[in-house]
Amino acid sequence: MKPLIILENYGANVTLIPTDKRYYTLDERMQIAEEENADLFISIHNNSAANGTATGSEAYYFNAWSSPLSVLASDYMSQALNSNDRGGKYGLYYVTRTMRYPAVLVEGGFVSTASEYNMLVDPYYQQMLGENLGAAIIDYLVQISSDNYEYGVESTGINLYDAGR
């Protein structure tokens, strides 16, 4: 099953910005997200390292409310490749700095490591990565809809300053 279909089956409206035929600047990518009234922004990449032995997936966030999504994305992507989970990491990237919605930059694996490169170019593993990323997004959305979610951008309930008076 295609990852976009998985998300759409859960009621998501998914906008894919394909970069295989046209390059979109970072500004254009963010503008598309704004025009689509995005609730989430996921930028998908693959990593590279000079030493040729680095492995695993990682995901970068800037705002605290994006951190749980980055942790889940890294975890689920590493499971698809049966590789190292490098985790969610703070990073000041152009596409993660938005204040309107959670945004992460996901590094699926290392193209500079032969074993991961071979998986990253294999359509089977590409499908697995996509499905696992879709599952991470669904898991994240379920978490933030629960009553005990600890991050947020809105305040509801008691004003703690006034409650102390």
Side-chain angles (χ1 to χ4, degrees):
M1 181 179 286
K2 299 286 184 191
L4 297 180
I5 294 171
I6 293 169
L7 294 171
E8 289 169 346
N9 284 343
Y10 276 88
N13 295 318
V14 179
T15 301
L16 178 64
I17 304 172
T19 56
D20 57 341
K21 293 186 171 61
R22 177 190 186 283
Y23 176 80
Y24 291 85
T25 67
L26 297 176
D27 272 338
E28 288 174 320
R29 295 169 197 211
M30 299 313 296
Q31 183 179 353
I32 291 168
E34 292 296 321
E35 290 170 359
E36 294 291 327
N37 198 24
D39 291 317
L40 293 173
F41 185 91
I42 313 288
S43 186
I44 304 169
H45 301 262
N46 288 309
N47 223 334
S48 183
N51 67 16
T53 61
T55 61
S57 300
E58 58 195 4
Y60 292 90
Y61 68 93
F62 177 73
N63 295 303
W65 57 85
S66 298
S67 175
L69 177 58
S70 72
V71 170
L72 288 168
S74 179
D75 177 37
Y76 280 66
M77 298 281 280
S78 68
Q79 290 177 34
L81 292 177
N82 195 24
S83 187
N84 184 25
D85 179 7
R86 299 167 64 95
K89 299 177 177 184
Y90 174 83
L92 182 60
Y93 292 101
Y94 190 87
V95 296
T96 62
R97 294 183 307 193
T98 180
M99 298 299 227
R100 296 197 48 214
Y101 43 79
V104 297
L105 185 149
V106 177
E107 298 282 4
F110 282 82
V111 296
S112 54
T113 303
S115 59
E116 284 197 355
Y117 171 83
N118 289 330
M119 286 189 281
L120 291 168
V121 298
D122 184 315
Y124 171 79
Y125 284 103
Q126 291 173 7
Q127 181 69 26
M128 293 285 293
L129 285 165
E131 288 179 11
N132 280 26
L133 183 55
I137 293 166
I138 291 164
D139 194 4
Y140 170 76
L141 294 173
V142 167
Q143 284 184 22
I144 65 169
S145 67
S146 71
D147 289 338
N148 60 356
Y149 184 68
E150 65 181 276
Y151 294 97
V153 296
E154 295 183 22
S155 175
T156 59
I158 299 171
N159 179 325
L160 295 178
Y161 178 76
D162 291 337
R165 289 186 172 184

